[in-house]
Amino acid sequence: MDKIKDEVILIRIKGQKKKDWKNLCSKKQISLTSLIIDSVENRILNDERRKVLAFIEKQDNIFVKIENNINQVAKIANGQKSISENELRNFSDKLSEIVILKKEQNEIFTKIYEKLSR
């Protein structure tokens, strides 16, 4: 079997540029190697992956809450044959959250598709 060995590439950059890159990596919580390789290969950076996963998790949690609220509103409306203005306002707010989350989701997915298509 032929084992693939890691290679080393030396590049020259100004000291300030290296500091800038390291600061960027520190902010994004990624390695300098990851920044360079992912940027050169037009791949999604690790910090962007984390943001996507965090967004998906947040979205899932919010949708579960919204689903519960929709069920509660339906139960109240069915039981009382009417719904209070407060309950209707709460329900409307939750639907507005869905619209915002869907917009964010679409923006994130567009970025992912752009990265994947390169």
Side-chain angles (χ1 to χ4, degrees):
M1 283 188 206
D2 188 24
K3 291 187 178 182
I4 298 175
K5 191 170 124 179
D6 285 346
E7 297 285 337
V8 175
I9 297 176
L10 299 175
I11 61 173
R12 289 184 212 273
I13 60 172
K14 301 283 184 195
Q16 184 58 47
K17 181 63 73 178
K18 181 179 177 182
K19 286 180 185 176
D20 293 344
W21 287 5
K22 286 195 166 241
N23 285 337
L24 178 64
C25 291
S26 179
K27 287 178 189 171
K28 292 180 171 279
Q29 297 180 338
I30 59 174
S31 69
L32 185 55
T33 300
S34 175
L35 173 71
I36 293 169
I37 291 173
D38 291 347
S39 296
V40 168
E41 295 181 357
N42 286 321
R43 293 192 304 203
I44 296 174
L45 299 175
N46 286 337
D47 70 312
E48 291 170 334
R49 277 191 197 96
R50 285 192 296 270
K51 286 179 187 176
V52 168
L53 292 174
F55 174 79
I56 290 169
E57 185 177 326
K58 175 186 171 190
Q59 183 182 23
D60 187 46
N61 290 338
I62 290 174
F63 282 131
V64 166
K65 289 178 185 177
I66 292 170
E67 182 180 308
N68 287 339
N69 285 345
I70 290 170
N71 289 336
Q72 288 172 354
V73 169
K75 186 176 180 178
I76 291 168
N78 286 333
Q80 297 176 357
K81 302 298 181 206
S82 66
I83 186 169
S84 72
E85 189 174 324
N86 188 36
E87 290 288 335
L88 189 57
R89 191 177 309 115
N90 186 29
F91 181 73
S92 180
D93 290 344
K94 295 302 179 189
L95 291 177
S96 295
E97 281 185 57
I98 289 175
V99 171
I100 292 167
L101 286 171
K102 285 294 184 184
K103 183 179 179 195
E104 286 180 29
Q105 173 186 329
N106 290 341
E107 289 171 4
I108 289 172
F109 287 163
T110 298
K111 288 178 185 177
I112 291 170
Y113 291 139
E114 286 172 0
K115 292 283 186 178
L116 292 176
S117 67
R118 293 180 188 176

